[in-house]
Amino acid sequence: MEQFAEALPHGTIEEVFPDVFFVTGTMKTVLMNAPWHFSRNMTVVREGRDLTLINTVRLDDAGLAALEALGTVRNVVKIGSLHGRDDAFYVRRYGARFRALPGMQHDGGLVPDELLEPGGKMPFAGCSVIRFETTKLPECILHVDRAGGILIACDALQNWEHPDEFFSDESRTNMTNMGFFQKANFGPVWMQVNDPKGEDFRILSKLSFAHALCGHGQPLRDTAKQEFVARAKAVFGV
């Protein structure tokens, strides 16, 4: 039988915008030769009864029952190279179509059914891809034309205003000292790994959006554009 990463503690699925859902869970990993234990988020977009999972987080049995009550899992979408450990679980369990950027590496022997490319076929209506062009690893943001515009990001955009209950004490202390907990931030480890250039963030000022749902942190409602544009100007001068 195929083995998947275990389900770790997580919260409940919340409807943050009409037919857009958000759930926070746990990530345990080793980075820079040290154990890390922190939170991560999955976003679920519903179109009719079809569900698209972005930045997957494996849920326990009760969580899966709540997910299945929302609709049928049709698509699994990977937008960040440093995530994806739970993609294969959902693809195999539900027979979902897997979408990812060209050049990404995938756990569980997954091969994309569709490539995520600007102007290409999207998993649901009103969705478009903004791909980073200067990063060392493939990464993109999804723009969702709902509720005044929603950006769905993985590691590039983060909104960890504070640590939550899914952190270990050690990670809470270390990540506080490393500057992770800032509103509308760019992921510190992601920045180190990918060395992005300012031109990748210039597009933020041209997009129409009010909200951001990121792979880490809390939903950023209403002020996401002004907050992230200001961050891009402070960090990159764009």
Side-chain angles (χ1 to χ4, degrees), residues 18-220:
D19 288 321
V20 179
F21 305 86
F22 192 78
V23 59
T24 300
T26 305
M27 180 64 181
K28 293 182 180 179
T29 189
V30 175
L31 296 171
M32 297 177 287
N33 298 315
W36 293 53
H37 186 157
F38 51 86
S39 62
R40 55 181 173 137
N41 307 314
M42 176 168 69
T43 297
V44 181
V45 178
R46 182 168 62 188
E47 184 176 54
R49 292 290 295 171
D50 292 349
L51 304 180
T52 295
L53 312 186
I54 306 157
N55 300 328
T56 57
V57 173
R58 182 174 176 180
L59 305 178
D60 60 21
D61 288 344
L64 292 172
L67 178 68
E68 291 162 7
L70 300 178
T72 302
V73 177
R74 299 292 190 192
N75 304 293
V76 169
V77 178
K78 181 176 178 178
I79 60 174
S81 288
L82 300 181
H83 284 224
R85 66 184 294 175
D86 295 318
D87 289 343
F89 169 79
Y90 285 103
V91 170
R92 306 281 193 258
R93 180 181 177 93
Y94 296 106
R97 293 185 68 77
F98 180 53
R99 288 172 163 84
L101 290 169
M104 281 181 162
Q105 302 296 312
H106 308 294
D107 293 339
L110 286 181
V111 176
D113 298 293
E114 302 274 358
L115 291 177
L116 276 180
E117 297 186 286
K121 185 177 180 181
M122 295 293 105
F124 53 87
C127 178
S128 56
V129 171
I130 298 96
R131 183 173 60 198
F132 289 88
E133 302 293 347
T134 69
T135 54
K136 294 180 179 178
L137 298 174
E139 185 96 7
C140 72
I141 296 168
L142 300 184
H143 180 273
V144 181
D145 188 16
R146 301 186 188 184
I150 306 167
L151 293 189
I152 302 177
C154 187
D155 287 319
L157 309 184
Q158 297 183 1
N159 191 51
W160 253 332
E161 296 188 61
H162 50 77
D164 51 44
E165 66 268 32
F166 302 106
F167 278 73
S168 66
D169 290 340
E170 182 180 15
S171 289
R172 184 181 297 110
T173 299
N174 290 341
M175 294 170 73
T176 297
N177 294 336
M178 294 174 69
F180 274 86
F181 303 119
Q182 301 183 54
K183 192 174 184 179
N185 198 23
F186 304 144
V189 170
W190 181 85
M191 293 278 284
Q192 291 179 13
V193 170
N194 282 287
D195 190 27
K197 304 299 185 287
E199 54 258 39
D200 274 334
F201 294 88
R202 196 182 306 274
I203 194 173
L204 293 176
S205 63
K206 301 176 183 178
L207 294 172
S208 176
F209 68 99
H211 323 289
L213 301 175
C214 308
H216 301 286
Q218 296 74 40
L220 180 52

